[in-house]
Amino acid sequence: MNFIRKILFPFSILYSAIASIRNYCYDNGLLKSYSFNLPIIAVGNLSVGGTGKTPQIEFLIRLLSNKYKVATLSRGYKRKSSGFILADANVNAKIIGDEPYQYFTKFPDIQVAVDADRKNGIEQLLSNSSKPDVILLDDAYQHRRVKAGFYILLTSYNELYSDDFQLPTGNLRENRSGAKRANVIVVTKCPSDLSKQEQEIIKRKLAILPNQTLFFSTIEFDEYVYSENEKQLVSEIQNVDKLLLAGIAKPQSFFAHLQSDNKACLTFSDHHQFSEKDLLEIKNKAQNNIIITTEKDYMRLKVSLPKEQLYFLPIKTKFLFEGDNFDKKIINYVESSTRIG
């Protein structure tokens, strides 16, 4: 923790108090939460970014979309639009945001919507002639105005919320006690050889409640990188001259997977909006070499960089243990909620 963050600790106490009062008001009915008559799954975290929400949402889409009409609802962070938008052929990353546009591009059979007001977004989806059977709320753990039926809380292996502080001293959006709202807690980005002993240590650190279930997942990189028209094996481009480019919260594993030498890497802030100056810098540094970026960044860059030069590396969430149990919990919730509805 750097010096500036340490001296801001009094502001963290104030921030914590405000967040706690807000949660108290929702927990005790002083502020109204709205429920809806269909299964709603909220995926989020206590910290600001970098826990793997996007691959977790995609995991749920793959799990549910063969049987149910699935919709995702995000706020569309840093989009150049406002209000409710249901994605169609006319949208792009600027209109709905990079992550929703990624869902829309990869999963054409689902509905993808954005609205900062999740309540209004859900109402708009349900007023649609082809209303969804289940809605996935992306990054909505703190959106208390809507009461989801099932909460999935993510925390990164290297930055557990139990070891963190509230903003601005740390990265937590609310007090650690907010974890009690979760039905399931997933420790993401774990090493693939995570031991049983370490699992138990983490479980004690997170103070898992009897009604909660803890899971451990890792990031699984695709064996190919993809451009608009072709793909190449990662193993075949490891030693090729290339530029690695990332505008995500924690890009270290992305860089490490593709190349240990970071002399040919460019890092930008999460959800960075690339300017003409940025694009010129990228082209100058890449020269005629291939450019490999994250899938999220690709959604913003593919209209601005040469399509034969730009590639992206997809990732997936992979559960290390009891993945079948996670699937069953989700499916049981959706099926029981659907019957009740």
Side-chain angles (χ1 to χ4, degrees), residues 2 5 15 57 62 67 87 125 142 150 178-179 186 188 265 302 306 314 317 319 321 336 341:
N2 62 41
R5 281 199 161 198
Y15 185 98
I57 289 286
R62 293 186 183 97
K67 186 174 180 181
L125 283 168
Q142 283 76 36
F150 198 95
V186 182
T188 63
C265 297
K302 64 180 182 178
T317 285
F319 284 89
F321 320 99
S336 62

Side-chain angles (χ1 to χ4, degrees), residues 240-255:
V240 171
D241 288 337
K242 56 189 174 292
L243 174 65
L244 304 183
L245 166 64
I248 58 175
K250 297 178 177 71
Q252 294 84 355
S253 60
F254 168 77
F255 289 139

Side-chain angles (χ1 to χ4, degrees), residues 188-229:
T188 63
K189 303 183 180 181
C190 295
S192 57
D193 59 351
L194 186 69
S195 68
K196 190 71 175 176
Q197 181 181 11
E198 193 166 8
Q199 293 173 51
E200 290 300 321
I201 292 171
I202 292 172
K203 185 175 182 178
R204 289 196 297 272
K205 274 188 171 186
L206 298 181
I208 302 300
L209 299 174
N211 64 321
Q212 296 176 322
T213 310
L214 179 65
F215 294 93
F216 298 89
S217 71
T218 190
I219 291 296
E220 186 175 56
F221 292 96
D222 201 292
E223 61 179 324
Y224 290 92
V225 292
Y226 299 82
S227 70
E228 184 174 317
N229 299 318

Side-chain angles (χ1 to χ4, degrees), residues 15 29 46 50-51 57 111 129 138 154 171 245 267 292 317 331:
Y15 185 98
L46 297 184
T51 58
I57 289 286
Q111 296 177 60
S129 58
D138 184 13
L154 309 181
N171 293 313
L245 166 64
T267 305
I292 305 177
T317 285
I331 292 169

Side-chain angles (χ1 to χ4, degrees), residues 148-205:
F150 198 95
Y151 286 90
I152 300 173
L153 177 63
L154 309 181
T155 185
S156 180
Y157 169 81
N158 286 318
E159 294 181 308
L160 299 172
Y161 61 75
S162 57
D163 300 331
D164 206 347
F165 296 90
Q166 286 202 243
L167 292 164
T169 297
N171 293 313
L172 296 184
R173 297 170 172 175
E174 62 172 301
N175 194 282
R176 301 165 194 165
S177 63
K180 66 186 179 184
R181 300 196 302 275
N183 300 90
V184 158
I185 298 173
V186 182
V187 181
T188 63
K189 303 183 180 181
C190 295
S192 57
D193 59 351
L194 186 69
S195 68
K196 190 71 175 176
Q197 181 181 11
E198 193 166 8
Q199 293 173 51
E200 290 300 321
I201 292 171
I202 292 172
K203 185 175 182 178
R204 289 196 297 272
K205 274 188 171 186

Side-chain angles (χ1 to χ4, degrees), residues 34-47:
Y34 294 86
S35 300
F36 292 87
N37 202 21
L38 83 165
I40 297 177
I41 301 172
V43 177
N45 47 27
L46 297 184
S47 63

